[in-house]
Amino acid sequence: MNRTRTTRARTTRAYDRFGGSAAAGRSGVPRRSSGYGNRRAAQGEFALPKTVTPALPAVASFADLALPAPLLTTLGQEGVTVPFPIQAATLPNSLAGRDVLGRGRTGSGKTLAFGLAVLARTAGRRAEPRRPLALVLVPTRELAQQVTDALAPYARSVRLRLATVVGGMSIGRQAGALRSGAEVVVATPGRLKDLIDRGDCRLADVGITVLDEADQMTDMGFMPQVTALLDQVRPEGQRMLFSATLDRNVDLLVRRYLTDPVVHSVDPSAGAVTTMEHHVLHVHDADKHRTTTEIAARDGRVIMFLDTKHAVDRLTKHLLNSGVRAAALHGGRSQPQRTRTLAQFKDGHVTVLVATNVAARGIHVDSLDLVVNVDPPTDHKDYLHRGGRTARAGESGSVVTLVTPGQRRGMTRLMAAAGITPHITPVRSGEAELSRITGAQAPSGLPVVITAPVVERPRRASSPSRGRTGRGRPVGAGARRRAQLRPGNESAA
């Protein structure tokens, strides 16, 4: 599946986080890939590149793709029968080795769109220790875990080893997984750089690279790390970039690293999702806290977004004291805590997830029909990604934003930038209209405690080669000799 490609130009020039210029050529004039037209782009986004080589047509079913039989079998076992539009359009080309630029909101099927191509093109190969063959870069730990979980059954079917490399977890274990050999690595940029600096990973054999949620990586300041990592993979390799929004920061990555990409755009904004309703609720400052509490007490799960981790902790404590099964998710929590909280929310043990933007991407919860912006986001992209937690994969859902009088003008501008015309409704706590829109109701008032699940540790089996004392301690040679020399025992001499 190798292909002849134009050698990619490389520079070591650092990119400005907030949209610095493209890399300059020897003449000092910024290089621009051919195929970029002068079409006017949507607000905050760049014009999509024009594909020089015609793209292969979309397929109607996975059976029409050149996928290994085990992958097709696993798709059926997982209940994935019909490809989503972004999968149907990009997989024929990514399986052929083409670079891909895909835009699609969260929940549009991006993970399998790149994941199946990565696994199919890597199947049958074996990675050497510390030298993976494919790399998926993501911005957050949660998204890394979600991608790993989504691809795991398919990777097993074609006997490929996955390794997840993220911060907040044991770097020693991750280094061990790489030393044992992993064909596909799913990583956040910072932790992967750490492992490379330690000598635990080399990217010279990586022939397929994926950037998932590329816009968030640039927004979080990962551009220098991302470009440094991309400069270490095989220069003639395949690149796929998927993002929910395509702003100028992403434009730099497209121009520098993608060669004649196949371009596919799905759902350019959340406003295009017909199964999602957008509500702006005008509330009074003094009534906002009580309104939030009543929404949280609804029947059914809800994610509530706030700006800071301290505000998240305060609201979570208040909701628990009010009788609402709430849990907090933010960057101040350890990764095991965050993983446990998400698991409890997904299985219904927790009904309200109170979160900062750490939960705005990379979290998929089936049948989540309500997202509430308790604190309105400051950027229209944050709004789209928060809202992307609901109305996923064709399901319906609502995004509700609580807006006080001083926030109304800014919210109007944000919605215009997002391309959304919301339903605007003045509400008060206890009113029927609030209940109609959100399912709000009065909380029980009986405090609740969310307990961590009890995990039984497996007992160690006794080793047949080592004796044990009556108290369960191992008996070594010294202990046996001391026992032999006690009164009543014969001397070993």
Side-chain angles (χ1 to χ4, degrees):
M1 294 185 180
N2 294 332
R3 59 205 166 103
T4 304
R5 302 169 54 98
T6 303
T7 303
R8 303 171 193 268
R10 293 283 188 261
T11 74
T12 56
R13 178 174 181 169
Y15 283 88
D16 184 85
R17 176 183 174 185
F18 298 105
S21 61
R26 292 182 181 179
S27 64
V29 179
R31 289 194 303 270
R32 295 188 179 274
S33 300
S34 60
Y36 279 79
N38 294 320
R39 292 170 292 167
R40 187 176 182 82
Q43 181 175 350
E45 298 196 348
F46 62 89
L48 296 175
K50 295 178 181 177
T51 301
V52 177
T53 306
L56 294 173
V59 296
S61 71
F62 289 110
D64 297 330
L65 296 166
L67 289 171
L71 288 180
L72 290 173
T73 301
T74 306
L75 283 166
Q77 293 171 345
E78 295 292 316
V80 182
T81 56
V82 179
F84 285 177
I86 198 168
Q87 298 163 1
T90 60
L91 276 169
N93 299 280
S94 56
L95 287 169
R98 292 283 301 275
D99 282 3
V100 172
L101 172 60
R103 176 173 65 175
R105 64 181 296 274
T106 51
S108 61
K110 296 196 301 291
T111 303
L112 281 186
F114 65 74
L116 290 175
V118 167
L119 297 176
R121 300 195 71 228
T122 309
R125 302 178 61 196
R126 203 70 174 166
E128 296 181 10
R130 300 183 177 90
R131 301 177 74 91
L133 305 176
L135 171 64
V136 180
L137 283 176
V138 298
T140 66
R141 309 171 199 171
E142 282 73 24
L143 183 54
Q145 192 59 56
Q146 178 174 305
V147 169
T148 302
D149 291 345
L151 298 186
Y154 303 98
R156 284 194 299 269
S157 74
V158 288
R159 301 181 182 276
L160 292 177
R161 296 166 293 179
L162 290 174
T164 308
V165 170
V166 297
M169 303 292 281
S170 169
I171 193 170
R173 290 183 181 178
Q174 293 169 4
L178 291 169
R179 284 195 300 270
S180 298
E183 285 73 42
V184 182
V185 170
V186 182
T188 52
R191 175 52 61 91
L192 181 58
K193 179 182 182 299
D194 292 342
L195 286 162
I196 291 173
D197 291 344
R198 286 165 45 118
D200 291 317
C201 186
R202 295 287 182 270
L203 302 182
D205 290 349
V206 171
I208 308 173
T209 308
V210 178
L211 270 66
D212 190 20
E213 302 290 9
D215 54 342
Q216 189 182 14
M217 277 192 275
T218 62
D219 289 345
M220 294 173 71
F222 289 145
M223 180 71 88
Q225 293 175 343
V226 169
T227 55
L229 293 171
L230 290 177
D231 286 339
Q232 296 178 49
V233 305
R234 284 170 48 190
E236 77 283 2
Q238 180 183 19
R239 315 285 168 79
M240 290 182 274
L241 188 153
F242 287 82
S243 186
T245 57
L246 298 176
D247 59 17
R248 295 293 172 181
N249 291 330
V250 178
D251 188 20
L252 300 175
L253 294 172
V254 173
R255 292 173 183 270
R256 183 173 178 182
Y257 293 104
L258 298 189
T259 300
D260 188 23
V262 172
V263 179
H264 187 71
S265 181
V266 177
D267 301 334
S269 77
V273 182
T274 57
T275 58
M276 183 186 294
E277 289 188 355
H278 301 268
H279 293 271
V280 169
L281 303 186
H282 287 174
V283 298
H284 295 286
D285 291 274
D287 192 44
K288 180 177 178 179
H289 198 53
R290 184 171 179 81
T291 299
T292 302
T293 305
E294 291 185 1
I295 296 174
R298 71 192 291 267
D299 294 328
R301 291 174 298 181
V302 56
I303 296 181
M304 293 186 151
F305 285 105
L306 291 92
D307 287 340
T308 68
K309 60 185 181 182
H310 301 294
V312 165
D313 287 336
R314 285 195 301 269
L315 179 58
T316 303
K317 183 178 179 180
H318 165 73
L319 292 177
L320 289 170
N321 288 334
S322 301
V324 178
R325 303 186 68 81
L329 183 72
H330 55 65
R333 298 297 178 96
S334 69
Q335 187 58 38
Q337 288 175 319
R338 288 158 68 167
T339 301
R340 183 174 64 246
T341 296
L342 281 173
Q344 291 177 323
F345 183 61
K346 289 180 179 181
D347 67 20
H349 186 64
V350 166
T351 57
V352 181
L353 186 65
V354 188
T356 57
N357 277 341
V358 74
R361 301 204 199 190
I363 295 175
H364 173 73
V365 181
D366 291 328
S367 303
L368 179 68
D369 62 355
L370 182 63
V371 168
V372 177
N373 294 310
V374 178
D375 290 334
T378 56
D379 182 83
H380 73 280
K381 290 195 297 181
D382 288 338
Y383 179 90
L384 298 177
H385 296 309
R386 287 182 180 186
R389 299 311 96 209
T390 187
R392 296 169 68 88
E395 296 180 345
S396 60
S398 298
V399 183
V400 169
T401 305
L402 305 183
V403 179
T404 57
Q407 298 170 329
R408 293 178 185 177
R409 182 175 297 177
M411 194 64 196
T412 299
R413 289 195 295 265
L414 184 147
M415 286 296 191
I420 293 169
T421 304
H423 303 284
I424 300 175
T425 310
V427 297
R428 289 182 180 271
S429 59
E431 288 184 346
E433 192 66 2
L434 177 64
S435 180
R436 181 189 68 80
I437 297 170
T438 67
Q441 61 184 2
S444 68
L446 301 175
V448 295
V449 176
I450 304 297
T451 57
V454 178
V455 179
E456 268 193 43
R457 294 184 178 180
R459 296 180 181 179
R460 289 185 178 180
S462 300
S463 172
S465 62
R466 300 178 68 184
R468 301 187 76 87
T469 67
R471 294 183 181 180
R473 295 180 180 177
V475 179
R480 288 195 295 270
R481 181 168 180 81
R482 286 192 296 274
Q484 290 170 344
L485 293 177
R486 287 174 189 150
N489 288 340
E490 294 183 6
S491 171

